[in-house]
């Protein structure tokens, strides 16, 4: 198939600055040349991420790309969004890897950490020498993180952490974990080095979705960390939720990358595939599907671009992000399913991308606030009635 050229029905490229286009095109080319040739084997194996690419991802400046200083690229939020789009055009696992490192691990240290914590971790993390994971979800606390049971108890200068975190991206390959735990003063965040006694990570096997990504369960049995490992400015659930807002922003862009990959593949395939004496693309039902895909991608692009500009102006609100994450992931999943359908039997094998994206997007629909949870967040915002 021909190389991916992007999808731009409304000429939105004209609304982008040169450096925004450059960031996008650089990552697009890298994903095509370096990542896509590897993903099939990692998905066929039981859940592995191509760790050999980490130095190159760091070299491209993609860890904490919208943060400044500490070796970070300092991109604006539109360039950052476009980067997330291109990474997820490769695979949701690749975008997840960068999102977790940047939005869920570097961002809390950057925003809530001490100067010492920032100096110690951020240069290492932007260079990809230290990989982080974000431990919020628990076996019995997913959508409702207020039900969290992981405890941190203070004795003098030492905190004792005990509990279980589940569904943690990069858990077993991380050098540090950002662990959220209940204390006598409420929820607090801790930087926990994963080689501390009492810390164990076990990978979750048998996933149909996000197979090119490591997902783990974390067990903390009286893990001891000094007070200097607590994020001093993180108080209450507001802190982890603010990290999720950052990550969800990237997902709103990223999901479009998966949708564009599926649309592009379906369009090219349907032009070449002959059914009943003519190209599949010449059939009315095919065209209806392709028109749906292009229209929804275009609407999602407008939503994401406006969100990025608003974020750069410092006016972004969590409910705006909820709308974009909810909508863009939903349409991406619908597009992936329709693309898979158009590919017929070929659509079920991994020589084509559609089914891999489709299965990945089931996770993307669930994590970082499920589709339903974002519906309820928006519903409460509109009506003033809390239904969560
Ligand atoms: C591959 C993968 C990677 C992940 N990575 C991370 C990570 O790095 N760090 C981390 O902390 N977490 C991570 N997660 C966890 C993810 O954020 C949670 O799975 C998610 O928050 C949903 O929680 P849950 O699975 O417990 O589902 P539940 O909360 O049990 O939800 C089950 C269903 O109930 C619905 N529901 C929930 N509340 C309501 C309500 N009030 N009314 C109606 N319906 C409702 C939900 O929409 C959903 O359909 C990851 C998950 C996956 C699958």
């Amino acid at each position: 198939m021909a190389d991916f050229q992007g999808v731009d029905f409304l000429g939105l490229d004209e609304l982008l600055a040169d450096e925004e286009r450059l960031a996008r095109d650089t990552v697009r080319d890298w994903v095509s040349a370096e990542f896509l040739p590897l993903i099939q084997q990692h998905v066929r194996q039981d859940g592995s991420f191509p760790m050999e690419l980490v130095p190159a991802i760091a070299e491209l400046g993609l860890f904490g790309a919208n943060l400044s200083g500490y070796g970070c690229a300092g991109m604006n939020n539109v360039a950052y969004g476009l980067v997330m789009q291109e990474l997820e055009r490769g695979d949701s696992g690749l975008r997840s890897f960068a999102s977790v490192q940047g939005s869920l691990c570097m961002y809390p240290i950057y925003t809530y950490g001490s100067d010492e914590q920032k100096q110690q971790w951020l240069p290492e993390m932007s260079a990809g020498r230290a990989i982080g994971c974000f431990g919020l979800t628990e076996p019995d606390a997913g959508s409702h993180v207020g039900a969290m049971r992981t405890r941190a108890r203070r004795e003098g200068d030492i905190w004792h952490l005990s509990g279980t975190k589940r569904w943690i991206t990069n858990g077993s390959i991380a050098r540090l974990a950002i662990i959220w735990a209940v204390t006598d003063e409420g929820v607090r965040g801790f930087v926990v080095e994963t080689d501390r006694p009492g810390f164990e990570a076990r990978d979750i096997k048998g996933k149909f979705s996000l197979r090119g990504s490591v997902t783990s369960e974390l067990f903390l049995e009286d893990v001891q960390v000094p007070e200097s490992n607590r994020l001093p400015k993180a108080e209450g659930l507001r802190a982890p939720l603010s990290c999720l807002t950052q990550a969800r922003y990237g997902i709103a862009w990223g999901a479009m990358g998966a949708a564009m990959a599926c649309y592009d593949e379906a369009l090219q395939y349907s032009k070449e595939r002959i059914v009943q004496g003519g190209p599949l693309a010449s059939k009315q039902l095919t065209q209806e599907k392709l028109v749906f895909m292009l229209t929804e991608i275009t609407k999602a692009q407008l939503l994401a671009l406006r969100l990025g500009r608003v974020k750069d102006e410092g006016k972004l609100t969590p409910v705006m992000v909820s709308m974009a994450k909810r909508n863009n992931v939903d349409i991406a999943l619908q597009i992936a399913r329709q693309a898979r359908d158009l590919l017929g039997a070929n659509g079920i094998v991994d020589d084509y991308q559609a089914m891999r994206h489709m299965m990945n997007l089931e996770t993307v629909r669930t994590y970082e606030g499920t589709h339903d949870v974002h519906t309820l967040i928006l519903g409460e915002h509109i009506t003033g009635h809390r239904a969560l």
Side-chain angles (χ1 to χ4, degrees), residues 252-318:
W253 283 89
M256 288 191 306
M260 287 183 209
C262 292
Y263 167 72
D264 181 64
E265 182 172 73
L267 178 59
Q268 291 198 47
Y269 184 88
S270 62
K271 284 178 181 172
E272 286 162 18
R273 175 75 178 167
I274 303 298
V275 291
Q276 287 195 319
L280 181 59
S282 69
K283 310 296 174 192
Q284 290 178 342
L285 289 174
T286 305
Q287 292 183 4
E288 195 279 335
K289 290 186 178 74
L290 294 169
V291 168
F292 169 83
M293 293 181 197
L294 178 60
T295 307
E296 291 306 323
I297 287 170
T298 303
K299 285 152 66 180
Q301 286 172 330
L302 285 165
L303 189 53
L305 183 58
R306 173 66 187 152
L307 203 67
R309 297 287 180 231
V310 167
K311 187 164 166 35
D312 277 334
E313 289 167 13
K315 295 182 193 160
L316 188 80
T317 63

Side-chain angles (χ1 to χ4, degrees), residues 96 100 104 133-145 165-171 180 207 209-210 213-216 244 248 362-374 376 387-388:
S96 296
V100 168
L104 296 182
C133 69
F134 179 84
L136 180 64
T137 305
E138 301 185 357
D140 297 317
S143 301
H144 301 276
V145 287
K165 299 287 179 183
R166 190 164 165 79
W167 303 111
I168 307 306
T169 302
N170 291 347
W180 301 96
K207 291 181 297 173
S209 178
L210 231 61
S213 169
V214 171
T215 314
S216 316
L244 295 178
R248 290 165 180 170
E362 293 290 349
T363 284
V364 183
R365 189 179 166 92
T366 288
Y367 73 11
E368 301 275 354
T370 68
H371 183 81
D372 289 343
V373 163
H374 287 296
L376 297 175
L388 253 173

Side-chain angles (χ1 to χ4, degrees), residues 70 90 125 137 139 156 200 219 223 244 272 306 324 331 341 351:
Y70 308 99
M125 296 177 81
T137 305
E200 192 192 344
F219 302 90
V223 177
L244 295 178
E272 286 162 18
R306 173 66 187 152
I331 64 103
D341 192 15
D351 293 335

Side-chain angles (χ1 to χ4, degrees), residues 132-188:
C133 69
F134 179 84
L136 180 64
T137 305
E138 301 185 357
D140 297 317
S143 301
H144 301 276
V145 287
M148 174 191 307
R149 288 199 206 139
T150 297
R151 293 280 313 175
R153 183 175 48 80
R154 187 171 179 168
E155 270 181 22
D157 198 34
I158 299 294
W159 287 93
H160 298 252
L161 277 71
S162 294
T164 305
K165 299 287 179 183
R166 190 164 165 79
W167 303 111
I168 307 306
T169 302
N170 291 347
S172 65
I173 52 178
R175 212 169 98 196
L176 69 151
I178 306 291
I179 297 292
W180 301 96
V182 180
T183 73
D184 288 343
E185 285 84 42
V187 170
R188 295 291 183 268

